[in-house]
Amino acid sequence: MSVVRRAVEFLVGRVLRSRLGIALALAVVVFGIVGAARLLAGPGDPTLGLSNRPNGPITTVPPTAGDDGLVGRDAPPSPVTRPGERTPEQTAERFVAAWLGEPGMTPERWHEGMRPLSTSALTEKLAGAVPGDVPARQMTDEVVLRPRTETFVEALVPLDTGRLRLELLASDGRWLVDAVDWEQE
């Protein structure tokens, strides 16, 4: 019996008073509480949980309320041009002609050709560009306009090696190119 007594003293005296012993005792208490709660709660509902999906779409707007999307079904408003000023199409065509430039054109002359057709923000962005960086040489078709508002238009220009997308803004009915985006084919 002395061996059993010594084993019990060792277990109680050293193991249960150590950090490991305390952690094991807490784990037994936690698992005991969780197990008792499950027994008292009864069988779980099989329809609950993250793996179940709703039977139908979740809607927050009644289906009879109509379309509340950003893109309307109405035709976009026509661009407004001040009398005597260039239309968005004319501005886009002239800008593209200036952007394409001529062989051997100096950067100063190239920038001078685009400056009266560009906003000051675009002129600043193009300050470091040179005509040799232009990846195309000629237009292959007419300018296609996508009016967004009365004072904002997107122009798509097909070129020999891709497509140029211009954003034009109208300040007091005078159209200027504000952004240039190149899409290579």
Side-chain angles (χ1 to χ4, degrees):
M1 278 248 218
S2 67
V3 175
V4 173
R5 183 173 168 217
R6 283 186 186 172
V8 169
E9 285 178 4
F10 175 76
L11 181 64
V12 172
R14 293 220 171 169
V15 175
L16 291 181
R17 288 187 184 170
S18 69
R19 290 180 182 169
L20 177 64
I22 293 172
L24 287 173
L26 286 174
V28 168
V29 170
V30 168
F31 285 124
I33 291 173
V34 170
R38 286 191 174 187
L39 286 174
L40 293 174
D45 186 359
T47 62
L48 295 179
L50 296 177
S51 63
N52 292 330
R53 295 192 172 102
N55 294 336
I58 299 172
T59 59
T60 57
V61 177
T64 58
D67 185 11
D68 64 341
L70 291 176
V71 179
R73 299 186 199 288
D74 300 334
S78 298
V80 176
T81 304
R82 186 170 54 189
E85 293 289 337
R86 289 183 299 273
T87 65
E89 295 94 339
Q90 293 169 334
T91 303
E93 287 173 1
R94 288 188 183 180
F95 181 87
V96 170
W99 185 73
L100 292 173
E102 300 169 4
M105 180 179 265
T106 65
E108 294 80 21
R109 189 169 157 230
W110 184 62
H111 284 283
E112 286 174 14
M114 291 184 292
R115 188 171 292 118
L117 303 165
S118 308
T119 62
S120 58
L122 180 61
T123 301
E124 288 179 28
K125 289 178 186 176
L126 293 175
V130 294
D133 292 343
V134 175
R137 291 290 146 224
Q138 65 182 1
M139 288 177 55
T140 59
D141 206 350
E142 294 181 8
V143 174
V144 176
L145 284 187
R146 291 183 182 167
R148 302 297 186 201
T149 67
E150 291 179 349
T151 59
F152 175 66
V153 172
E154 182 181 43
L156 303 173
V157 185
L159 301 173
D160 55 348
T161 58
R163 183 171 75 166
L164 192 64
R165 189 180 67 81
L166 305 174
E167 291 180 2
L168 288 89
L169 299 176
S171 175
D172 295 327
R174 183 170 178 252
W175 290 94
L176 297 173
V177 178
D178 188 52
V180 177
D181 187 26
W182 171 251
E183 297 173 3
Q184 189 170 358
E185 285 183 349

